[in-house]
């Protein structure tokens, strides 16, 4: 992944800037300035990488034909929107055998665990 390589490269540049600042007194001011810039880029890329990693394993595919998402996580709840087999959804949370999902058009509802196959 390019983001991982970029983060690693920024980390190496941070270490390089610190070592230059320690050993070369004449350019210490410039090395510290570059170090702060590299830290900023490293922090931004690390946060982005964390967000990408945290979203892994939270997508699923509907495996039931003609299924309805519910307003609440129980059988007697009102049907909210329909789902079709093969539809990709995002898992938001889990509660007592139910998944709270988000469809690609941002509608949110509840489905039973056996309706999904987690990617």
């Amino acid at each position: 992944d390019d983001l991982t390589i970029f983060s690693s490269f920024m980390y190496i540049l941070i270490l390089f800037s610190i070592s230059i600042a320690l050993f070369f007194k004449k350019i210490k001011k410039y090395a510290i300035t570059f170090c702060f810039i590299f830290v900023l880029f490293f922090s931004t890329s690390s946060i982005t990488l964390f967000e990408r990693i945290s979203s892994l394993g939270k997508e699923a595919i509907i495996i039931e034909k003609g299924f309805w998402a519910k307003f609440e996580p129980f059988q007697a709840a009102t049907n909210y929107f329909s789902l079709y087999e093969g539809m990709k959804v995002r898992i938001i949370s889990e509660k007592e055998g139910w998944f709270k999902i988000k469809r690609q058009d941002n509608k949110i509802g509840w489905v039973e665990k056996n309706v999904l196959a987690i990617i």
Side-chain angles (χ1 to χ4, degrees):
D1 185 35
D2 294 334
L3 194 55
T4 306
I5 293 169
F6 180 75
S7 296
S8 300
F9 184 68
M10 284 296 119
Y11 182 73
I12 291 168
L13 287 176
I14 291 168
L15 294 177
F16 184 69
S17 298
I18 291 172
S19 62
I20 286 176
L22 290 174
F23 294 113
F24 299 102
K25 302 296 181 191
K26 292 181 182 178
I27 57 173
K28 183 176 184 177
K29 179 173 44 171
Y30 300 112
I32 290 174
T33 303
F34 279 114
C35 185
F36 283 125
I37 292 170
F38 296 146
V39 166
L40 179 68
F41 282 124
F42 178 74
S43 300
T44 304
S45 64
S46 296
I47 291 169
T48 306
L49 186 61
F50 176 75
E51 290 296 322
R52 288 186 129 199
I53 290 172
S54 66
S55 70
L56 292 175
K58 294 191 176 187
E59 292 182 335
I61 301 289
I62 305 297
I63 57 173
E64 293 281 330
K65 291 183 180 181
F67 196 79
W68 285 89
K70 307 278 187 178
F71 269 113
E72 298 177 47
F74 57 89
Q75 274 303 337
T78 307
N79 291 341
Y80 182 39
F81 56 85
S82 65
L83 301 165
Y84 57 87
E85 184 178 14
M87 179 183 271
K88 189 175 182 181
V89 294
R90 181 173 224 47
I91 298 172
I92 297 173
S93 64
E94 181 180 356
K95 182 179 180 182
E96 300 171 6
W98 290 77
F99 283 121
K100 187 175 188 179
I101 60 160
K102 184 176 189 179
R103 213 164 60 170
Q104 289 184 350
D105 63 354
N106 292 329
K107 285 190 177 181
I108 297 174
W110 291 88
V111 295
E112 293 179 274
K113 279 187 177 183
N114 60 352
V115 174
L116 302 175
I118 298 174
I119 301 175

